[in-house]
PDB file of all heavy atoms in Angstrom:
ATOM      1  N   MET A   1     -13.371  16.795   5.805  1.00 91.00           N
ATOM      2  CA  MET A   1     -14.096  15.912   6.717  1.00 91.00           C
ATOM      3  C   MET A   1     -13.305  14.646   7.034  1.00 91.00           C
ATOM      4  O   MET A   1     -13.319  14.171   8.171  1.00 91.00           O
ATOM      5  CB  MET A   1     -15.457  15.536   6.098  1.00 91.00           C
ATOM      6  CG  MET A   1     -16.296  14.606   6.965  1.00 91.00           C
ATOM      7  SD  MET A   1     -17.982  14.429   6.348  1.00 91.00           S
ATOM      8  CE  MET A   1     -18.658  16.025   6.777  1.00 91.00           C
ATOM      9  N   PHE A   2     -12.591  14.126   6.026  1.00 92.00           N
ATOM     10  CA  PHE A   2     -11.821  12.886   6.183  1.00 92.00           C
ATOM     11  C   PHE A   2     -10.384  13.127   5.725  1.00 92.00           C
ATOM     12  O   PHE A   2     -10.013  12.776   4.596  1.00 92.00           O
ATOM     13  CB  PHE A   2     -12.451  11.758   5.371  1.00 92.00           C
ATOM     14  CG  PHE A   2     -13.881  11.460   5.707  1.00 92.00           C
ATOM     15  CD1 PHE A   2     -14.883  11.664   4.767  1.00 92.00           C
ATOM     16  CD2 PHE A   2     -14.232  10.964   6.954  1.00 92.00           C
ATOM     17  CE1 PHE A   2     -16.202  11.372   5.055  1.00 92.00           C
ATOM     18  CE2 PHE A   2     -15.562  10.675   7.264  1.00 92.00           C
ATOM     19  CZ  PHE A   2     -16.551  10.885   6.314  1.00 92.00           C
ATOM     20  N   PRO A   3      -9.549  13.730   6.560  1.00 93.00           N
ATOM     21  CA  PRO A   3      -8.178  14.083   6.157  1.00 93.00           C
ATOM     22  C   PRO A   3      -7.355  12.902   5.660  1.00 93.00           C
ATOM     23  O   PRO A   3      -6.487  13.078   4.790  1.00 93.00           O
ATOM     24  CB  PRO A   3      -7.578  14.667   7.451  1.00 93.00           C
ATOM     25  CG  PRO A   3      -8.749  15.149   8.231  1.00 93.00           C
ATOM     26  CD  PRO A   3      -9.843  14.186   7.933  1.00 93.00           C
ATOM     27  N   VAL A   4      -7.620  11.704   6.165  1.00 93.00           N
ATOM     28  CA  VAL A   4      -6.836  10.544   5.737  1.00 93.00           C
ATOM     29  C   VAL A   4      -7.028  10.273   4.247  1.00 93.00           C
ATOM     30  O   VAL A   4      -6.117   9.768   3.574  1.00 93.00           O
ATOM     31  CB  VAL A   4      -7.210   9.297   6.577  1.00 93.00           C
ATOM     32  CG1 VAL A   4      -8.631   8.831   6.290  1.00 93.00           C
ATOM     33  CG2 VAL A   4      -6.226   8.155   6.316  1.00 93.00           C
ATOM     34  N   LEU A   5      -8.181  10.620   3.715  1.00 95.00           N
ATOM     35  CA  LEU A   5      -8.420  10.419   2.280  1.00 95.00           C
ATOM     36  C   LEU A   5      -7.569  11.368   1.447  1.00 95.00           C
ATOM     37  O   LEU A   5      -7.097  11.001   0.361  1.00 95.00           O
ATOM     38  CB  LEU A   5      -9.906  10.610   1.952  1.00 95.00           C
ATOM     39  CG  LEU A   5     -10.889   9.668   2.657  1.00 95.00           C
ATOM     40  CD1 LEU A   5     -12.304   9.934   2.173  1.00 95.00           C
ATOM     41  CD2 LEU A   5     -10.508   8.208   2.430  1.00 95.00           C
ATOM     42  N   LYS A   6      -7.352  12.567   1.956  1.00 95.00           N
ATOM     43  CA  LYS A   6      -6.493  13.506   1.237  1.00 95.00           C
ATOM     44  C   LYS A   6      -5.047  13.045   1.283  1.00 95.00           C
ATOM     45  O   LYS A   6      -4.324  13.114   0.277  1.00 95.00           O
ATOM     46  CB  LYS A   6      -6.622  14.907   1.843  1.00 95.00           C
ATOM     47  CG  LYS A   6      -5.843  15.965   1.061  1.00 95.00           C
ATOM     48  CD  LYS A   6      -6.189  17.362   1.520  1.00 95.00           C
ATOM     49  CE  LYS A   6      -5.521  18.402   0.618  1.00 95.00           C
ATOM     50  NZ  LYS A   6      -5.911  19.781   1.004  1.00 95.00           N
ATOM     51  N   GLU A   7      -4.618  12.553   2.441  1.00 96.00           N
ATOM     52  CA  GLU A   7      -3.245  12.073   2.582  1.00 96.00           C
ATOM     53  C   GLU A   7      -2.944  10.938   1.614  1.00 96.00           C
ATOM     54  O   GLU A   7      -1.825  10.824   1.096  1.00 96.00           O
ATOM     55  CB  GLU A   7      -3.007  11.579   4.016  1.00 96.00           C
ATOM     56  CG  GLU A   7      -3.067  12.669   5.081  1.00 96.00           C
ATOM     57  CD  GLU A   7      -3.101  12.081   6.487  1.00 96.00           C
ATOM     58  OE1 GLU A   7      -2.839  10.859   6.621  1.00 96.00           O
ATOM     59  OE2 GLU A   7      -3.407  12.835   7.434  1.00 96.00           O
ATOM     60  N   LYS A   8      -3.945  10.114   1.334  1.00 96.00           N
ATOM     61  CA  LYS A   8      -3.738   8.918   0.507  1.00 96.00           C
ATOM     62  C   LYS A   8      -4.449   9.000  -0.839  1.00 96.00           C
ATOM     63  O   LYS A   8      -4.678   7.984  -1.493  1.00 96.00           O
ATOM     64  CB  LYS A   8      -4.241   7.688   1.268  1.00 96.00           C
ATOM     65  CG  LYS A   8      -3.552   7.464   2.613  1.00 96.00           C
ATOM     66  CD  LYS A   8      -4.020   6.170   3.275  1.00 96.00           C
ATOM     67  CE  LYS A   8      -3.260   5.903   4.557  1.00 96.00           C
ATOM     68  NZ  LYS A   8      -3.612   4.603   5.164  1.00 96.00           N
ATOM     69  N   HIS A   9      -4.784  10.209  -1.284  1.00 96.00           N
ATOM     70  CA  HIS A   9      -5.694  10.375  -2.416  1.00 96.00           C
ATOM     71  C   HIS A   9      -5.260   9.662  -3.690  1.00 96.00           C
ATOM     72  O   HIS A   9      -6.085   9.267  -4.511  1.00 96.00           O
ATOM     73  CB  HIS A   9      -5.894  11.870  -2.710  1.00 96.00           C
ATOM     74  CG  HIS A   9      -4.708  12.529  -3.324  1.00 96.00           C
ATOM     75  ND1 HIS A   9      -3.630  12.968  -2.568  1.00 96.00           N
ATOM     76  CD2 HIS A   9      -4.414  12.817  -4.627  1.00 96.00           C
ATOM     77  CE1 HIS A   9      -2.734  13.515  -3.374  1.00 96.00           C
ATOM     78  NE2 HIS A   9      -3.177  13.426  -4.614  1.00 96.00           N
ATOM     79  N   ALA A  10      -3.954   9.465  -3.874  1.00 96.00           N
ATOM     80  CA  ALA A  10      -3.460   8.849  -5.112  1.00 96.00           C
ATOM     81  C   ALA A  10      -3.351   7.328  -5.019  1.00 96.00           C
ATOM     82  O   ALA A  10      -3.106   6.663  -6.029  1.00 96.00           O
ATOM     83  CB  ALA A  10      -2.100   9.437  -5.472  1.00 96.00           C
ATOM     84  N   LEU A  11      -3.554   6.770  -3.829  1.00 96.00           N
ATOM     85  CA  LEU A  11      -3.420   5.329  -3.643  1.00 96.00           C
ATOM     86  C   LEU A  11      -4.683   4.596  -4.089  1.00 96.00           C
ATOM     87  O   LEU A  11      -5.786   5.152  -4.071  1.00 96.00           O
ATOM     88  CB  LEU A  11      -3.158   5.011  -2.170  1.00 96.00           C
ATOM     89  CG  LEU A  11      -1.845   5.519  -1.574  1.00 96.00           C
ATOM     90  CD1 LEU A  11      -1.768   5.147  -0.098  1.00 96.00           C
ATOM     91  CD2 LEU A  11      -0.655   4.947  -2.326  1.00 96.00           C
ATOM     92  N   PRO A  12      -4.538   3.328  -4.490  1.00 96.00           N
ATOM     93  CA  PRO A  12      -5.733   2.536  -4.818  1.00 96.00           C
ATOM     94  C   PRO A  12      -6.652   2.413  -3.611  1.00 96.00           C
ATOM     95  O   PRO A  12      -6.191   2.213  -2.482  1.00 96.00           O
ATOM     96  CB  PRO A  12      -5.163   1.166  -5.213  1.00 96.00           C
ATOM     97  CG  PRO A  12      -3.747   1.434  -5.606  1.00 96.00           C
ATOM     98  CD  PRO A  12      -3.294   2.563  -4.728  1.00 96.00           C
ATOM     99  N   ALA A  13      -7.948   2.519  -3.833  1.00 93.00           N
ATOM    100  CA  ALA A  13      -8.905   2.449  -2.732  1.00 93.00           C
ATOM    101  C   ALA A  13      -8.834   1.114  -2.006  1.00 93.00           C
ATOM    102  O   ALA A  13      -9.121   1.039  -0.814  1.00 93.00           O
ATOM    103  CB  ALA A  13     -10.318   2.675  -3.267  1.00 93.00           C
ATOM    104  N   GLY A  14      -8.423   0.076  -2.713  1.00 92.00           N
ATOM    105  CA  GLY A  14      -8.331  -1.246  -2.098  1.00 92.00           C
ATOM    106  C   GLY A  14      -7.260  -1.367  -1.035  1.00 92.00           C
ATOM    107  O   GLY A  14      -7.244  -2.343  -0.277  1.00 92.00           O
ATOM    108  N   THR A  15      -6.358  -0.384  -0.949  1.00 93.00           N
ATOM    109  CA  THR A  15      -5.302  -0.425   0.070  1.00 93.00           C
ATOM    110  C   THR A  15      -5.760   0.157   1.401  1.00 93.00           C
ATOM    111  O   THR A  15      -5.036   0.063   2.395  1.00 93.00           O
ATOM    112  CB  THR A  15      -4.050   0.342  -0.414  1.00 93.00           C
ATOM    113  OG1 THR A  15      -4.380   1.734  -0.556  1.00 93.00           O
ATOM    114  CG2 THR A  15      -3.549  -0.207  -1.741  1.00 93.00           C
ATOM    115  N   LEU A  16      -6.936   0.751   1.429  1.00 92.00           N
ATOM    116  CA  LEU A  16      -7.438   1.360   2.659  1.00 92.00           C
ATOM    117  C   LEU A  16      -7.952   0.299   3.624  1.00 92.00           C
ATOM    118  O   LEU A  16      -8.391  -0.782   3.213  1.00 92.00           O
ATOM    119  CB  LEU A  16      -8.580   2.331   2.343  1.00 92.00           C
ATOM    120  CG  LEU A  16      -8.243   3.577   1.522  1.00 92.00           C
ATOM    121  CD1 LEU A  16      -9.518   4.335   1.195  1.00 92.00           C
ATOM    122  CD2 LEU A  16      -7.258   4.461   2.261  1.00 92.00           C
ATOM    123  N   SER A  17      -7.941   0.623   4.900  1.00 89.00           N
ATOM    124  CA  SER A  17      -8.553  -0.238   5.908  1.00 89.00           C
ATOM    125  C   SER A  17     -10.069  -0.188   5.743  1.00 89.00           C
ATOM    126  O   SER A  17     -10.617   0.657   5.030  1.00 89.00           O
ATOM    127  CB  SER A  17      -8.177   0.236   7.312  1.00 89.00           C
ATOM    128  OG  SER A  17      -8.798   1.489   7.587  1.00 89.00           O
ATOM    129  N   GLY A  18     -10.766  -1.096   6.447  1.00 86.00           N
ATOM    130  CA  GLY A  18     -12.222  -1.115   6.359  1.00 86.00           C
ATOM    131  C   GLY A  18     -12.850   0.198   6.782  1.00 86.00           C
ATOM    132  O   GLY A  18     -13.774   0.699   6.136  1.00 86.00           O
ATOM    133  N   GLY A  19     -12.335   0.784   7.860  1.00 86.00           N
ATOM    134  CA  GLY A  19     -12.876   2.055   8.328  1.00 86.00           C
ATOM    135  C   GLY A  19     -12.630   3.184   7.342  1.00 86.00           C
ATOM    136  O   GLY A  19     -13.495   4.030   7.113  1.00 86.00           O
ATOM    137  N   GLN A  20     -11.437   3.194   6.742  1.00 90.00           N
ATOM    138  CA  GLN A  20     -11.117   4.221   5.758  1.00 90.00           C
ATOM    139  C   GLN A  20     -11.961   4.047   4.493  1.00 90.00           C
ATOM    140  O   GLN A  20     -12.377   5.033   3.879  1.00 90.00           O
ATOM    141  CB  GLN A  20      -9.627   4.172   5.437  1.00 90.00           C
ATOM    142  CG  GLN A  20      -8.753   4.608   6.610  1.00 90.00           C
ATOM    143  CD  GLN A  20      -7.296   4.256   6.417  1.00 90.00           C
ATOM    144  OE1 GLN A  20      -6.919   3.508   5.507  1.00 90.00           O
ATOM    145  NE2 GLN A  20      -6.438   4.787   7.288  1.00 90.00           N
ATOM    146  N   GLN A  21     -12.235   2.792   4.121  1.00 91.00           N
ATOM    147  CA  GLN A  21     -13.105   2.557   2.974  1.00 91.00           C
ATOM    148  C   GLN A  21     -14.526   3.041   3.249  1.00 91.00           C
ATOM    149  O   GLN A  21     -15.212   3.533   2.351  1.00 91.00           O
ATOM    150  CB  GLN A  21     -13.116   1.073   2.607  1.00 91.00           C
ATOM    151  CG  GLN A  21     -11.837   0.604   1.941  1.00 91.00           C
ATOM    152  CD  GLN A  21     -11.948  -0.807   1.396  1.00 91.00           C
ATOM    153  OE1 GLN A  21     -13.048  -1.328   1.202  1.00 91.00           O
ATOM    154  NE2 GLN A  21     -10.811  -1.433   1.148  1.00 91.00           N
ATOM    155  N   GLN A  22     -14.963   2.915   4.516  1.00 90.00           N
ATOM    156  CA  GLN A  22     -16.287   3.430   4.859  1.00 90.00           C
ATOM    157  C   GLN A  22     -16.320   4.944   4.728  1.00 90.00           C
ATOM    158  O   GLN A  22     -17.291   5.517   4.231  1.00 90.00           O
ATOM    159  CB  GLN A  22     -16.673   3.025   6.276  1.00 90.00           C
ATOM    160  CG  GLN A  22     -18.106   3.391   6.661  1.00 90.00           C
ATOM    161  CD  GLN A  22     -19.130   2.669   5.812  1.00 90.00           C
ATOM    162  OE1 GLN A  22     -19.270   1.459   5.871  1.00 90.00           O
ATOM    163  NE2 GLN A  22     -19.850   3.420   4.990  1.00 90.00           N
ATOM    164  N   MET A  23     -15.250   5.614   5.164  1.00 91.00           N
ATOM    165  CA  MET A  23     -15.155   7.060   4.987  1.00 91.00           C
ATOM    166  C   MET A  23     -15.195   7.423   3.506  1.00 91.00           C
ATOM    167  O   MET A  23     -15.844   8.397   3.103  1.00 91.00           O
ATOM    168  CB  MET A  23     -13.865   7.576   5.621  1.00 91.00           C
ATOM    169  CG  MET A  23     -13.806   7.416   7.130  1.00 91.00           C
ATOM    170  SD  MET A  23     -12.171   7.842   7.791  1.00 91.00           S
ATOM    171  CE  MET A  23     -12.331   7.282   9.494  1.00 91.00           C
ATOM    172  N   LEU A  24     -14.505   6.633   2.685  1.00 93.00           N
ATOM    173  CA  LEU A  24     -14.500   6.878   1.238  1.00 93.00           C
ATOM    174  C   LEU A  24     -15.896   6.701   0.657  1.00 93.00           C
ATOM    175  O   LEU A  24     -16.333   7.506  -0.185  1.00 93.00           O
ATOM    176  CB  LEU A  24     -13.508   5.936   0.560  1.00 93.00           C
ATOM    177  CG  LEU A  24     -13.446   5.994  -0.970  1.00 93.00           C
ATOM    178  CD1 LEU A  24     -13.126   7.404  -1.453  1.00 93.00           C
ATOM    179  CD2 LEU A  24     -12.405   4.996  -1.487  1.00 93.00           C
ATOM    180  N   ALA A  25     -16.608   5.673   1.097  1.00 93.00           N
ATOM    181  CA  ALA A  25     -17.954   5.432   0.591  1.00 93.00           C
ATOM    182  C   ALA A  25     -18.895   6.584   0.951  1.00 93.00           C
ATOM    183  O   ALA A  25     -19.731   7.006   0.143  1.00 93.00           O
ATOM    184  CB  ALA A  25     -18.490   4.113   1.136  1.00 93.00           C
ATOM    185  N   VAL A  26     -18.758   7.102   2.178  1.00 93.00           N
ATOM    186  CA  VAL A  26     -19.568   8.259   2.582  1.00 93.00           C
ATOM    187  C   VAL A  26     -19.178   9.477   1.752  1.00 93.00           C
ATOM    188  O   VAL A  26     -20.040  10.202   1.229  1.00 93.00           O
ATOM    189  CB  VAL A  26     -19.396   8.547   4.086  1.00 93.00           C
ATOM    190  CG1 VAL A  26     -20.088   9.863   4.467  1.00 93.00           C
ATOM    191  CG2 VAL A  26     -19.940   7.401   4.924  1.00 93.00           C
ATOM    192  N   GLY A  27     -17.886   9.697   1.604  1.00 94.00           N
ATOM    193  CA  GLY A  27     -17.417  10.835   0.813  1.00 94.00           C
ATOM    194  C   GLY A  27     -17.892  10.767  -0.624  1.00 94.00           C
ATOM    195  O   GLY A  27     -18.280  11.783  -1.220  1.00 94.00           O
ATOM    196  N   ARG A  28     -17.864   9.578  -1.202  1.00 94.00           N
ATOM    197  CA  ARG A  28     -18.323   9.400  -2.590  1.00 94.00           C
ATOM    198  C   ARG A  28     -19.790   9.793  -2.732  1.00 94.00           C
ATOM    199  O   ARG A  28     -20.185  10.453  -3.698  1.00 94.00           O
ATOM    200  CB  ARG A  28     -18.103   7.946  -3.008  1.00 94.00           C
ATOM    201  CG  ARG A  28     -18.482   7.636  -4.453  1.00 94.00           C
ATOM    202  CD  ARG A  28     -18.194   6.178  -4.771  1.00 94.00           C
ATOM    203  NE  ARG A  28     -18.924   5.278  -3.874  1.00 94.00           N
ATOM    204  CZ  ARG A  28     -18.704   3.972  -3.820  1.00 94.00           C
ATOM    205  NH1 ARG A  28     -17.765   3.414  -4.569  1.00 94.00           N
ATOM    206  NH2 ARG A  28     -19.403   3.218  -2.993  1.00 94.00           N
ATOM    207  N   ALA A  29     -20.620   9.397  -1.750  1.00 95.00           N
ATOM    208  CA  ALA A  29     -22.033   9.774  -1.786  1.00 95.00           C
ATOM    209  C   ALA A  29     -22.200  11.284  -1.639  1.00 95.00           C
ATOM    210  O   ALA A  29     -23.048  11.892  -2.308  1.00 95.00           O
ATOM    211  CB  ALA A  29     -22.801   9.041  -0.688  1.00 95.00           C
ATOM    212  N   LEU A  30     -21.397  11.910  -0.786  1.00 95.00           N
ATOM    213  CA  LEU A  30     -21.497  13.356  -0.588  1.00 95.00           C
ATOM    214  C   LEU A  30     -21.137  14.125  -1.852  1.00 95.00           C
ATOM    215  O   LEU A  30     -21.630  15.239  -2.070  1.00 95.00           O
ATOM    216  CB  LEU A  30     -20.584  13.792   0.559  1.00 95.00           C
ATOM    217  CG  LEU A  30     -20.949  13.281   1.947  1.00 95.00           C
ATOM    218  CD1 LEU A  30     -19.940  13.771   2.972  1.00 95.00           C
ATOM    219  CD2 LEU A  30     -22.359  13.711   2.340  1.00 95.00           C
ATOM    220  N   MET A  31     -20.290  13.548  -2.685  1.00 95.00           N
ATOM    221  CA  MET A  31     -19.919  14.211  -3.942  1.00 95.00           C
ATOM    222  C   MET A  31     -21.129  14.379  -4.868  1.00 95.00           C
ATOM    223  O   MET A  31     -21.117  15.205  -5.769  1.00 95.00           O
ATOM    224  CB  MET A  31     -18.823  13.426  -4.642  1.00 95.00           C
ATOM    225  CG  MET A  31     -17.477  13.444  -3.934  1.00 95.00           C
ATOM    226  SD  MET A  31     -16.703  15.081  -3.884  1.00 95.00           S
ATOM    227  CE  MET A  31     -16.334  15.353  -5.627  1.00 95.00           C
ATOM    228  N   GLY A  32     -22.179  13.602  -4.636  1.00 93.00           N
ATOM    229  CA  GLY A  32     -23.400  13.749  -5.427  1.00 93.00           C
ATOM    230  C   GLY A  32     -24.337  14.813  -4.901  1.00 93.00           C
ATOM    231  O   GLY A  32     -25.438  14.968  -5.420  1.00 93.00           O
ATOM    232  N   ARG A  33     -23.908  15.556  -3.869  1.00 94.00           N
ATOM    233  CA  ARG A  33     -24.730  16.595  -3.245  1.00 94.00           C
ATOM    234  C   ARG A  33     -26.131  16.083  -2.901  1.00 94.00           C
ATOM    235  O   ARG A  33     -27.145  16.558  -3.438  1.00 94.00           O
ATOM    236  CB  ARG A  33     -24.815  17.833  -4.128  1.00 94.00           C
ATOM    237  CG  ARG A  33     -23.492  18.557  -4.256  1.00 94.00           C
ATOM    238  CD  ARG A  33     -23.674  19.992  -4.667  1.00 94.00           C
ATOM    239  NE  ARG A  33     -22.434  20.735  -4.595  1.00 94.00           N
ATOM    240  CZ  ARG A  33     -22.337  22.054  -4.740  1.00 94.00           C
ATOM    241  NH1 ARG A  33     -23.426  22.767  -4.947  1.00 94.00           N
ATOM    242  NH2 ARG A  33     -21.169  22.665  -4.658  1.00 94.00           N
ATOM    243  N   PRO A  34     -26.225  15.101  -2.020  1.00 96.00           N
ATOM    244  CA  PRO A  34     -27.518  14.464  -1.743  1.00 96.00           C
ATOM    245  C   PRO A  34     -28.528  15.384  -1.062  1.00 96.00           C
ATOM    246  O   PRO A  34     -28.173  16.171  -0.186  1.00 96.00           O
ATOM    247  CB  PRO A  34     -27.141  13.307  -0.812  1.00 96.00           C
ATOM    248  CG  PRO A  34     -25.853  13.727  -0.182  1.00 96.00           C
ATOM    249  CD  PRO A  34     -25.126  14.510  -1.236  1.00 96.00           C
ATOM    250  N   LYS A  35     -29.756  15.259  -1.504  1.00 96.00           N
ATOM    251  CA  LYS A  35     -30.872  15.859  -0.790  1.00 96.00           C
ATOM    252  C   LYS A  35     -31.427  14.863   0.227  1.00 96.00           C
ATOM    253  O   LYS A  35     -32.109  15.248   1.176  1.00 96.00           O
ATOM    254  CB  LYS A  35     -31.973  16.272  -1.777  1.00 96.00           C
ATOM    255  CG  LYS A  35     -31.523  17.371  -2.734  1.00 96.00           C
ATOM    256  CD  LYS A  35     -32.600  17.673  -3.760  1.00 96.00           C
ATOM    257  CE  LYS A  35     -32.121  18.732  -4.751  1.00 96.00           C
ATOM    258  NZ  LYS A  35     -33.108  18.943  -5.843  1.00 96.00           N
ATOM    259  N   LEU A  36     -31.109  13.584   0.004  1.00 98.00           N
ATOM    260  CA  LEU A  36     -31.414  12.514   0.962  1.00 98.00           C
ATOM    261  C   LEU A  36     -30.245  11.541   0.915  1.00 98.00           C
ATOM    262  O   LEU A  36     -29.950  10.963  -0.130  1.00 98.00           O
ATOM    263  CB  LEU A  36     -32.715  11.799   0.598  1.00 98.00           C
ATOM    264  CG  LEU A  36     -33.048  10.558   1.435  1.00 98.00           C
ATOM    265  CD1 LEU A  36     -33.259  10.933   2.901  1.00 98.00           C
ATOM    266  CD2 LEU A  36     -34.285   9.845   0.872  1.00 98.00           C
ATOM    267  N   LEU A  37     -29.575  11.385   2.052  1.00 97.00           N
ATOM    268  CA  LEU A  37     -28.440  10.471   2.152  1.00 97.00           C
ATOM    269  C   LEU A  37     -28.902   9.178   2.815  1.00 97.00           C
ATOM    270  O   LEU A  37     -29.404   9.188   3.935  1.00 97.00           O
ATOM    271  CB  LEU A  37     -27.319  11.108   2.974  1.00 97.00           C
ATOM    272  CG  LEU A  37     -26.050  10.262   3.167  1.00 97.00           C
ATOM    273  CD1 LEU A  37     -25.358  10.005   1.826  1.00 97.00           C
ATOM    274  CD2 LEU A  37     -25.093  10.953   4.136  1.00 97.00           C
ATOM    275  N   LEU A  38     -28.728   8.065   2.110  1.00 97.00           N
ATOM    276  CA  LEU A  38     -29.091   6.749   2.618  1.00 97.00           C
ATOM    277  C   LEU A  38     -27.828   6.043   3.094  1.00 97.00           C
ATOM    278  O   LEU A  38     -26.903   5.823   2.304  1.00 97.00           O
ATOM    279  CB  LEU A  38     -29.767   5.917   1.528  1.00 97.00           C
ATOM    280  CG  LEU A  38     -30.975   6.532   0.814  1.00 97.00           C
ATOM    281  CD1 LEU A  38     -31.474   5.597  -0.283  1.00 97.00           C
ATOM    282  CD2 LEU A  38     -32.100   6.848   1.801  1.00 97.00           C
ATOM    283  N   LEU A  39     -27.784   5.693   4.366  1.00 96.00           N
ATOM    284  CA  LEU A  39     -26.619   5.028   4.948  1.00 96.00           C
ATOM    285  C   LEU A  39     -27.003   3.613   5.357  1.00 96.00           C
ATOM    286  O   LEU A  39     -27.849   3.424   6.234  1.00 96.00           O
ATOM    287  CB  LEU A  39     -26.119   5.791   6.180  1.00 96.00           C
ATOM    288  CG  LEU A  39     -25.576   7.198   5.952  1.00 96.00           C
ATOM    289  CD1 LEU A  39     -25.309   7.885   7.284  1.00 96.00           C
ATOM    290  CD2 LEU A  39     -24.295   7.147   5.136  1.00 96.00           C
ATOM    291  N   ASP A  40     -26.379   2.627   4.718  1.00 93.00           N
ATOM    292  CA  ASP A  40     -26.721   1.230   4.969  1.00 93.00           C
ATOM    293  C   ASP A  40     -25.625   0.554   5.785  1.00 93.00           C
ATOM    294  O   ASP A  40     -24.547   0.257   5.275  1.00 93.00           O
ATOM    295  CB  ASP A  40     -26.912   0.496   3.631  1.00 93.00           C
ATOM    296  CG  ASP A  40     -27.594  -0.859   3.808  1.00 93.00           C
ATOM    297  OD1 ASP A  40     -27.827  -1.266   4.957  1.00 93.00           O
ATOM    298  OD2 ASP A  40     -27.893  -1.503   2.787  1.00 93.00           O
ATOM    299  N   GLU A  41     -25.903   0.337   7.066  1.00 90.00           N
ATOM    300  CA  GLU A  41     -24.995  -0.362   7.985  1.00 90.00           C
ATOM    301  C   GLU A  41     -23.573   0.218   7.975  1.00 90.00           C
ATOM    302  O   GLU A  41     -22.600  -0.500   7.736  1.00 90.00           O
ATOM    303  CB  GLU A  41     -24.937  -1.863   7.646  1.00 90.00           C
ATOM    304  CG  GLU A  41     -26.275  -2.579   7.674  1.00 90.00           C
ATOM    305  CD  GLU A  41     -26.747  -2.926   9.077  1.00 90.00           C
ATOM    306  OE1 GLU A  41     -26.124  -2.484  10.048  1.00 90.00           O
ATOM    307  OE2 GLU A  41     -27.757  -3.634   9.190  1.00 90.00           O
TER     308      GLU A  41
END
């Protein structure tokens, strides 16, 4: 879903741009297999 995360998977998350960090935050939530996904701003 977010190929840029795979390209940079070994890098510290703090090196990502704001948009890439948002993708990471969404991906992290998806790893919990949500039955209800809450997206805040």
